[in-house]
Amino acid sequence: MKAPTQLIGALLGLALPVASLAQGDAPDPHMLYNQHCSVCHGVSRLGGIGPALLPDNLSRLKHAEAVEVIRDGRPATQMPAYGELLGEAEIAALAEWIYERPEVEPSWSDADILASHIVNHAYGTLPDEPVFEVEDLKNLFIVVEIGDHHVSLLDGDRFERIARFPSRYALHGGPKYSPDGRYVYFGSRDGWVTKYDIYNLEVTAEVRAGINMRNIAVSADGRYVLAGNYLPHTLVLLDARNLELIASIPVEGLNGETSRVSAVYTAPPRNSFVAALRDIPEVWEIRWPEERAAGDEALVGDFALHRMEAPDYLDDFFFDMEYRYLVGAARGGKGGQVFDMDEEIKVADLPLEGMPHLGAGITWELDGRRVMAIPHIDKGQVSVFDMSDWSLVTQIETDGPGFFMRSHESSPYAWVDVFFGPNHDRIHVIDKQSLEIVETLIPEPGKTAAHVEFDRRGETLLLSIWDDDGYLLWLDANTLEELGRMPMKRPSGKYNVWNKTQYEEGTSH
Ligand code: DHE
């Protein structure tokens, strides 16, 4: 019988030696890696069929889990079990070694991006009519299942699954729709950008924009995709049609330092992208050719970079509905700051201690004024601010630190999960007018209940039971009555086409 690597090697047409370890020898993890892992994970650990095996890319995988995956394989993927071929000491040495920094810092050039580019169906070649029937194409949901790296497409009226397909390893951040809702773009932590045609249920194009990516944004007009990387320190601009590389942009500050990109966002009223930079006190705005203004720096072609000097290192952004003000978290838990992007000045400091999760913030009308609400990752609290003068309205105590908040313009309630700590199976329902918790649900004792997304009308909602043997709950948004369940593998985010393409006030953008 062939060893797992030999099988994969045979499939790929490669001849690979079988490892042999004399008794008493200390395992040599580098050699083991070359013999067993490099064919799928790349000679330089940058990934291939399998994910990149570099310390930063593995930060979400516990060491014990790595040992388990090497020994037992990973179900529903091509990762085979090495338990019969390798001894415990060899598995342990391998698991240890992949968390070590490589001797040579990995690089990802334009040539690497171009070489990774895959076009399965060129733009314009697939039919324009959906291959399935639903009542409302704008009420579809995309659900990311991180348990086995799959994505489901759901009919939001009948709560039925239309398709389920494998994704790249470890998607992160919200998938982003084209303005008409036909295409959806995904970003993976390993740097892959994937374009999926919802009407034809097909992946149309893919490209690897970096080694360690944060997230992607799609321009409001649907023409461009921007990816923000931790490694290398670049922004990668793509043509949305086939994900062709337009340019990779080195992120270098006025002080000469290069920076990781924390996240990229699209700013529809400004016709631009905005990038949050982790290591330099600047906010970058990238404008497309027609929007270029005097004083902008030339980027590539006629794209322009508008560099705004920020009062601090700002991270994890939240924008007001007009995209004039940006709320950023200052470095080291020093609170939040409001930055006016028109005047390019700081206009307020916000008492946001610890780690506010600004990306999860939502807004609504309260007594004729607009408020924003933010959960905190290390505090059982939701902070509510008045956006007209940035004063603190209240801080709502919760049963533990939360990660995601959601509501809908038509719903009287805002939902916040208790993601961390002993009460992670709870989810709170907040009355948007009294600002009080009116209900706390525990759908499945002991299992994390998190991340809500409403249907387009705000009448029903989906809630994740965040577990490998988890499921989606479908609830009446007003009575909170359970309407259905659908088994899923650790369902994380859910994204309704209408709410996302309309920039609904109660959801992330
Ligand atoms: Fe996320 C969105 C940053 C850890 C699941 N996360 C985002 C966004 C940012 C961010 C900036 C908004 C980008 C977007 O949607 O395009 N996340 C961070 C971190 O800095 C942090 C704390 C540490 C890290 O390792 O990156 C972090 N995030 C996590 C997780 O551990 C989660 C729970 C599981 C996972 O998949 O990694 C997680 N993040 C998510 C999800 C979204 C997200 C599901 C999209 C939320 C939405 O509803 O739009």
Side-chain angles (χ1 to χ4, degrees), residues 227-277:
N229 287 322
Y230 259 12
L231 191 65
H233 293 181
T234 52
L235 287 160
V236 178
L237 189 59
L238 306 166
D239 183 317
R241 286 171 294 187
N242 291 320
L243 300 182
E244 279 124 2
L245 177 67
I246 297 175
S248 68
I249 304 157
V251 180
E252 192 177 322
L254 289 167
N255 59 8
E257 299 282 316
T258 64
S259 174
R260 293 168 291 175
V261 179
S262 308
V264 289
Y265 306 87
T266 190
R270 305 175 74 87
N271 271 333
S272 64
F273 289 115
V274 178
L277 308 176

Side-chain angles (χ1 to χ4, degrees), residues 60 172-174 176 189 214-215 263 403-404 406 451 495 508:
R60 330 276 323 146
H172 179 240
K176 306 293 183 312
R189 288 193 186 259
R214 295 295 289 167
N215 76 327
F403 213 92
F404 303 108
R406 273 296 193 280
H451 197 282
Y495 309 88
S508 58

Side-chain angles (χ1 to χ4, degrees), residues 4-46:
T5 323
Q6 258 51 46
L7 270 178
I8 296 166
L11 285 170
L12 297 174
L14 301 170
L16 296 160
V18 183
S20 63
L21 185 69
Q23 274 209 330
D25 283 354
D28 175 347
H30 196 163
M31 183 199 78
L32 290 170
Y33 179 88
N34 284 342
Q35 288 180 324
H36 298 290
C37 319
S38 62
V39 66
C40 289
H41 294 280
V43 187
S44 316
R45 293 153 65 189
L46 291 179

Side-chain angles (χ1 to χ4, degrees), residues 281-362:
E282 294 178 23
V283 175
W284 280 20
E285 184 166 18
I286 290 166
R287 301 178 171 143
W288 28 102
E290 308 84 79
E291 304 294 329
R292 197 170 162 176
D296 286 355
E297 290 171 37
L299 263 186
V300 54
D302 279 336
F303 283 88
L305 166 64
H306 181 60
R307 204 188 271 270
M308 295 179 259
E309 286 184 68
D312 205 334
Y313 297 85
L314 294 181
D315 222 346
D316 193 14
F317 290 170
F318 175 85
F319 297 92
D320 70 329
M321 302 282 275
E322 286 73 39
Y323 282 79
R324 172 170 178 176
Y325 297 103
L326 166 169
V327 183
R331 201 187 249 187
K334 283 188 284 169
Q337 299 189 346
V338 185
F339 186 71
D340 179 340
M341 291 196 286
D342 287 351
E343 301 296 329
E344 297 184 27
I345 47 163
K346 178 174 87 168
V347 291
D349 283 304
L350 303 184
L352 283 167
E353 285 166 27
M355 282 180 77
H357 196 208
L358 291 165
I362 57 168

Side-chain angles (χ1 to χ4, degrees), residues 44 54 73 92 122 132 161 169 250 252 286 355 357 380 421 436 446 448:
S44 316
L54 296 164
F132 53 89
R161 192 183 252 139
Y169 179 79
E252 192 177 322
I286 290 166
M355 282 180 77
H357 196 208
E436 280 176 6
T448 304

